Amino acid sequence: MFAILGWTTPIGTLSGFAYLVDQDEAAVQGFRLSSQSYGVRLAGSRPVGRSTLSWQASHARQSDWHRNPNDYRADYWLADVAVDLAGPRLGAGYEVLGADRGVALTSFQTPLAAVFKFQGWADKFTTTPPDGVRDLYASTGWNWKQLGTLKNISLSAVYHRFKSDRLVRHYGNEIDLLAQAKIGRTVASLRYADYDADRFATDTRKLWLQFDWAL
């Protein structure tokens, strides 16, 4: 069950939310992904000359729910700011999926989220580690409306530095690169991820070539 209630304020939209996830099959981690999360989020943007400044901040608290045998509490934090300079783009943020006591599935979990969008494209944190994860990231990019026959061209790069929330150990670093353009009705994307492991998982490199065609 999901519920969101929002208010418009002078500095952005303030939302209160509740996510109640009941994984009622024993085969799904023995009910250990059943959780209740309650939080708030503020997101807004403002034109600054020809540029656009945007920001978001969020906090949530998650705990066990229904038949989850784990008794835990874990916090989520996010602070993010970005500026679009009518071509070049810059951004930075800090996201924390907190831990409780270091037991598996007692850190802040997002079992129904589109995890590919967060914590790097190498997919090392699709399940939050027992000690949680802190993600300090910075991004840059550039957009062009048209270059020759290519339209909506976009280049971007994101750097992640990952640490554990509990005990603050360095997990590893990741660089993600994306090149994308539209040719007629086809959008072509070339994506690359490079995860350099320290104390979590293994070194991983991934490369994707993707074509999306619109009717």
Side-chain angles (χ1 to χ4, degrees), residues 79-157:
D80 182 281
V81 63
V83 59
D84 187 334
L85 301 170
R89 294 172 284 110
L90 297 171
Y94 188 55
E95 186 176 36
V96 178
L97 282 75
D100 187 341
R101 58 188 186 279
V103 175
L105 301 180
T106 63
S107 51
F108 199 101
Q109 301 295 323
T110 58
L112 303 181
V115 292
F116 182 78
K117 184 179 178 181
F118 306 97
Q119 286 88 52
W121 300 334
D123 293 334
K124 294 302 177 180
F125 301 97
T126 53
T127 297
T128 308
D131 289 328
V133 59
R134 299 181 182 182
D135 179 12
L136 177 65
Y137 58 89
S139 64
T140 185
W142 203 294
N143 295 332
W144 296 267
K145 290 185 177 180
Q146 186 165 355
L147 290 175
T149 59
L150 302 179
K151 297 181 179 180
N152 300 330
I153 305 100
S154 176
L155 299 176
S156 62

Side-chain angles (χ1 to χ4, degrees), residues 161-178:
R161 182 171 178 83
F162 298 110
K163 292 184 178 180
S164 65
D165 180 54
R166 181 176 175 271
L167 305 178
V168 195
R169 298 188 304 269
H170 181 224
Y171 283 153
N173 302 324
E174 181 170 329
I175 295 176
D176 298 321
L177 305 174
L178 173 64

